[in-house]
Amino acid sequence: MTTPPTSGPHPPRAEVRETHTAVLFFLEDRVYKLKKPVGLGFVDFTTLAARRRGCEREIELNRRFAPDVYLGLAEVRCPFDPPSGQEEADGAEPVVVMRRMPAERRLAALARRGTDVRGPLRAVARLLAARHADSPRGPEVVREGTRDALAERWEANFAGFRALEGAVELPEGMSEAERLVRRYLGGREVLFETRIRRNRVVDGHGDLRAEDVFCLDDGPRVLDCLEFDDRLRRVDGLDDAAFLAMDLEQLGTPEGAAFFLARYSEYSGDPAPPSLWHHYVAYRAFVRAKVSLIQAVQGAPEAREEARGLMAAALRHLRASAVRLVLVGGLPGRGKSTLSGALADRMGVTLLSSDRVRKELAGIPAERPAPAPYGEGLYTPERTRAAYATLLDRAASLLSSGESVVLDASWTDPEQREAARRTAERAGAELVALHCRTPGDVAASRLAGREPGVSDAGTEVAAAMARREAPWPEAVTVDTSGPLRGAADQALAAVYPYGAGPAPAFRRPYMEPG
């Protein structure tokens, strides 16, 4: 990490900073970074050769993001003999030489001051997308972006989290986090296979913190990539970007996090579903929570509270990442299609309609009327089963790709509801059933005034369906007799029982189909 000169005409103050693996000397406009001769399990700098390799690797990797900051390698020669047993007989120690960056231009400092950071974030997103596009691919990179590799990282972090139990009080929510993660990954094989096929796995930055992003007039400089473990740097590009989004949220700018991810997706041409955005932000928050707990065990005074906040953030995003199959049902005239459209809009997800699918299968335009008595014409039991089967097949494809779906249909038949439940279970999706209800006279008035169109049901068909409608006890009843906004609020409360507000609403930017 580099720090800045002080403002004014005087040379910046000389400083020394220390991390767990390095010592940094700040002298005028330069920073000199020495690796410590430590072995910490995840990194081994106990030999001079290892420290030299580490310095060279740090320069090589970081020049991708800040070529004019990482100036090169120097040596420090000690004027005394090394301690007995050390191999550094000539006393030469490799040093990374860097330009010193201005502290007031740190992205973290700008965010804390409440500065509008959309311009810098747009530039960082463009830089990150460009470096990801240039990234080497290959089996060793792709391997780390598979669903199984991500699941292994999650499980290792769960184990590391629980290993701290007893040494420190763990934040609440571990069991829920494990359940949500396993459910999401369990149903998303198609999504991750598609990510790999589209070359979304990259050798990225790996540690994209707002503290290490400097927003200069001629563009951003991004420092301190993760150089000690290639596997941790080889991730889905969206995972790499999610680290900075998580950090921005922790700095109190969730709108900046959503803006950054949207710009990254735009510049990288990445059509990933918002569920994956949330999942990766949750992963980054959880890892940071584990690190904070370790620091709490070591005596850091504020680390326990930090861990609690990070765990809460991870849970918010895991809940938001859950893929949902929402059934909106009810008899004709009860407002289910109107509510379905409003709900899909508010959720930002795909809407599928049985009425449209039914006419598509019959080969006629959706808006062309095709009225028939109950159980006849396009509404025979065979055609109805075909329409619902197609509806659920299309929903299953979307769910496996991480997309939530709203299904607009009557759902009066328990067998169709059970088929929907099985579809959700196979896809690792949460099933939410909404039953639209309104007084009979209101429904009759709506049907009488309905213009011909997608739905062909009239009052006689509605009465016949009502006589055969089976109870739907597991569904949440939504009163659709009043204003649409009130009904949509009721529906959203059922879809998001924990509330939809705390996690940012990640929405993809519009992209022309390729």
Side-chain angles (χ1 to χ4, degrees):
M1 180 187 304
T2 60
T3 46
T6 55
S7 59
H10 302 294
R13 185 179 61 186
E15 296 181 31
V16 178
R17 297 281 179 86
E18 188 171 351
T19 72
H20 55 299
T21 61
V23 180
L24 297 94
F25 299 90
F26 300 84
L27 301 173
E28 296 190 349
D29 63 347
R30 293 288 185 266
V31 179
Y32 302 92
K33 183 176 181 180
L34 284 81
K35 304 289 186 187
K36 289 181 178 179
V38 294
L40 301 176
F42 63 91
V43 67
D44 183 359
F45 289 144
T46 54
T47 67
L48 178 63
R51 294 196 292 281
R52 182 175 295 277
R53 283 194 302 272
C55 288
E56 291 170 347
R57 188 71 169 148
E58 179 174 351
I59 293 167
E60 174 191 0
L61 292 170
N62 279 291
R63 278 180 171 171
R64 299 174 302 162
F65 299 96
D68 61 344
V69 174
Y70 287 80
L71 302 178
L73 191 68
E75 289 183 343
V76 174
R77 294 184 177 272
C78 302
F80 51 82
D81 292 333
S84 175
Q86 290 190 12
E87 64 176 82
E88 296 87 337
D90 62 357
E93 189 67 38
V95 180
V96 175
V97 183
M98 307 162 64
R99 280 178 58 208
R100 194 174 185 177
M101 294 287 99
E104 68 275 7
R105 305 302 290 273
R106 284 187 194 275
L107 177 57
L110 297 175
R112 290 190 186 103
R113 291 200 297 268
T115 305
D116 183 353
V117 292
R118 286 175 297 179
L121 287 177
R122 186 179 288 110
V124 175
R126 192 186 297 275
L127 172 64
L128 189 66
R131 295 293 74 78
H132 285 172
D134 295 341
S135 166
R137 266 62 175 188
E140 71 285 350
V141 174
V142 169
R143 189 181 306 117
E144 304 305 326
T146 64
R147 181 186 63 171
D148 289 349
L150 178 58
E152 288 174 9
R153 290 198 292 274
W154 268 113
E155 294 299 334
N157 280 290
F158 289 149
F161 214 94
R162 292 198 180 280
L164 298 169
E165 196 167 11
V168 66
E169 181 183 354
L170 300 185
E172 296 180 359
M174 265 295 294
S175 296
E176 183 185 358
E178 290 173 313
R179 178 183 63 81
L180 290 170
V181 166
R182 291 165 185 159
R183 187 169 196 179
Y184 184 85
L185 295 180
R188 246 39 71 206
E189 184 175 2
V190 169
L191 172 60
F192 284 91
E193 288 175 349
T194 302
R195 303 291 293 171
I196 289 170
R197 191 168 62 250
R198 293 179 176 173
N199 289 323
R200 292 297 172 189
V201 185
V202 301
D203 188 327
H205 187 279
D207 194 24
L208 196 56
R209 293 165 50 89
E211 286 286 341
D212 297 325
V213 176
F214 293 86
C215 307
L216 306 187
D217 292 341
D218 59 348
R221 305 298 192 275
V222 181
L223 278 53
D224 284 355
C225 83
L226 195 154
E227 88 281 352
F228 59 79
D229 188 337
D230 290 346
R231 291 184 60 200
L232 297 179
R233 209 178 50 252
R234 292 167 177 166
V235 295
D236 189 302
L238 187 57
D239 186 355
D240 208 23
F243 194 119
L244 182 56
M246 178 274 298
D247 209 27
L248 288 166
E249 279 192 38
Q250 295 305 304
L251 289 167
T253 167
E255 66 286 348
F259 178 85
F260 172 69
L261 286 182
R263 298 289 74 73
Y264 170 78
S265 293
E266 178 184 359
Y267 296 141
S268 61
D270 188 349
S275 72
L276 190 61
W277 300 19
H278 283 291
H279 187 85
Y280 280 135
V281 173
Y283 172 73
R284 294 299 184 175
F286 190 89
V287 172
R288 181 77 73 82
K290 186 190 73 172
V291 171
S292 292
L293 278 183
I294 293 171
Q295 293 170 339
V297 171
Q298 296 169 345
E302 298 178 359
R304 186 179 301 176
E305 192 59 34
E306 288 175 0
R308 188 176 292 110
L310 286 158
M311 184 65 174
L315 279 175
R316 285 197 302 270
H317 283 283
L318 286 173
R319 290 166 182 164
S321 77
V323 177
R324 294 170 172 85
L325 179 61
V326 183
L327 312 184
V328 182
L331 295 171
R334 265 61 178 184
K336 64 181 182 301
S337 295
T338 302
L339 177 61
S340 296
L343 181 59
D345 251 6
R346 295 268 289 268
M347 293 175 65
V349 304
T350 300
L351 169 65
L352 299 177
S353 162
S354 64
D355 288 330
R356 291 181 178 277
V357 167
R358 189 189 300 269
K359 290 187 176 178
E360 177 191 330
L361 293 177
I364 65 175
E367 302 296 333
R368 180 187 298 173
Y374 180 76
E376 299 180 22
L378 297 186
Y379 299 89
T380 64
E382 294 76 19
R383 286 180 179 271
T384 295
R385 282 194 293 270
Y388 274 84
T390 301
L391 197 69
L392 290 175
D393 281 346
R394 292 178 181 178
S397 178
L398 289 163
L399 295 171
S400 67
S401 297
E403 304 280 3
S404 292
V405 188
V406 173
L407 298 184
D408 166 23
S410 296
W411 299 109
T412 55
D413 186 341
E415 289 187 7
Q416 294 158 352
R417 301 170 194 165
E418 174 59 21
R421 187 197 65 77
R422 291 195 301 269
T423 297
E425 185 176 351
R426 285 193 298 269
E430 294 187 6
L431 181 67
V432 181
L434 305 174
H435 192 189
C436 297
R437 302 293 292 270
T438 195
D441 57 336
V442 175
S445 174
R446 288 173 178 172
L447 290 172
R450 176 183 283 175
E451 295 290 332
V454 177
S455 176
D456 298 311
T459 54
E460 292 183 3
V461 169
M465 291 177 66
R467 290 192 293 270
R468 293 166 174 80
E469 184 181 29
W472 197 3
E474 63 271 27
V476 175
T477 298
V478 179
D479 180 359
T480 53
S481 61
L484 175 58
R485 180 171 183 174
D489 287 343
Q490 292 177 55
L492 275 175
V495 172
Y496 301 113
Y498 293 102
F506 292 154
R507 290 182 182 265
R508 287 167 289 205
Y510 174 76
M511 288 182 278
E512 293 288 347

